[in-house]
Amino acid sequence: MALYAQGWRRVRQIIGDLFVVAWVVGCAWATAAVRDLLLAAAAQVQRAVDLTTQVGGSVEQAGRAAGRVPVVGGELGRPLTDASDSVAQLATSAQQQVDLLRQMAELSIVVLFILPVAFVVWRWLPGRIRFVRERRSAARLIDADADLSLFALRAMAHQPMTRLAAISDDPVGAWRTDNAPVVRRLAALELRESGLPLPPEAAPGAARTTPTPTPAAPTPQADPRPPTTPPTDPTDNVG
């Protein structure tokens, strides 16, 4: 099954298909690059969060230990406890940044790949499907010179006037009088849009014949005249 027309339309179709393939590949590459960058940044921040959490835990333990010192334990432990709370708040804020970066990494798949690819495919795919269906329908119709008249008529309805004028000064008159060379050239315009070649041209002088029924043999008819009897000889009654 051919997927392309002939002439310049084939070039346009090939360029369109290559553009769609390049667009999909480019979107996939960009999505992967951005997602990897965001996940790498999230990993860096996550390591900072883990380190901050460890430091905060150590400061909190030191504050508790200082708080057990007699007489001055409260004053020694209070600054360490405050520092531990500040470190915990910093770790919580950094963890929120990690979660945001990971969400952005997942959202980049939708924004940078699914939506752009869906938009381009939505604009490109219906035309390609329509072309294949039209070509399949045309292939079922075209098989001989007798079918070219239909495609010549479609060409006069669809093709630009400049193309029609380049073939004949009066394409409609040529089509009505069944001018075979003009009809073939008009049909070629429409078939080229469907990616189909012209059918083989009939041999010169070859007439299109249609089978004629064989006449039935005449049936014998009865003679309407009454039958005649031979005359009798009078001498046969003597005796």
Side-chain angles (χ1 to χ4, degrees):
M1 179 180 61
L3 299 178
Y4 300 100
Q6 298 179 1
W8 284 106
R9 189 179 182 186
R10 174 192 289 266
V11 177
R12 294 195 302 268
Q13 289 175 334
I14 293 176
I15 292 176
D17 293 350
L18 292 178
F19 171 78
V20 171
V21 173
W23 181 264
V24 173
V25 173
C27 290
W29 178 84
T31 302
V34 172
R35 185 172 182 273
D36 292 344
L37 181 63
L38 293 173
L39 291 178
Q44 294 289 341
V45 178
Q46 184 64 54
R47 283 195 288 270
V49 171
D50 296 339
L51 180 60
T52 304
T53 303
Q54 293 177 1
V55 172
S58 300
V59 173
E60 183 181 3
Q61 291 178 359
R64 290 177 181 177
R68 290 193 294 269
V69 176
V71 182
V72 295
E75 296 181 358
L76 291 176
R78 188 177 301 109
L80 295 176
T81 302
D82 294 342
S84 175
D85 294 340
S86 298
V87 171
Q89 292 177 359
L90 180 61
T92 301
S93 177
Q95 186 62 50
Q96 293 176 353
Q97 298 297 322
V98 171
D99 296 338
L100 179 60
L101 289 172
R102 289 175 176 172
Q103 292 176 1
M104 292 176 61
E106 300 304 323
L107 186 62
S108 66
I109 299 176
V110 178
V111 175
L112 298 179
F113 183 77
I114 295 178
L115 292 180
V117 169
F119 175 76
V120 170
V121 171
W122 173 69
R123 296 294 301 271
W124 163 80
L125 189 59
R128 301 296 287 128
I129 294 177
R130 183 169 57 252
F131 169 79
V132 173
R133 293 180 61 183
E134 290 179 355
R135 186 189 186 282
R136 188 179 301 173
S137 300
R140 287 198 300 264
L141 291 175
I142 187 69
D143 55 9
D145 283 348
D147 300 320
L148 294 181
S149 180
L150 171 62
F151 290 93
L153 180 62
R154 284 175 56 89
M156 289 187 291
H158 296 160
Q159 296 297 324
M161 296 298 295
T162 54
R163 294 186 180 180
L164 299 179
I167 293 177
S168 174
D169 294 336
D170 185 12
V172 177
W175 176 78
R176 288 176 177 174
T177 58
D178 197 17
N179 189 328
V182 175
V183 169
R184 286 184 64 85
R185 293 181 63 186
L186 290 173
L189 291 177
E190 191 68 20
L191 291 174
R192 190 179 297 113
E193 296 292 326
S194 301
L196 294 173
L198 276 172
E201 189 173 3
R208 205 177 270 121
T209 60
T210 56
T212 55
T214 304
T219 56
Q221 297 181 354
D223 190 354
R225 294 176 298 176
T228 57
T229 57
T232 58
D233 189 356
T235 58
D236 291 343
N237 296 328
V238 180

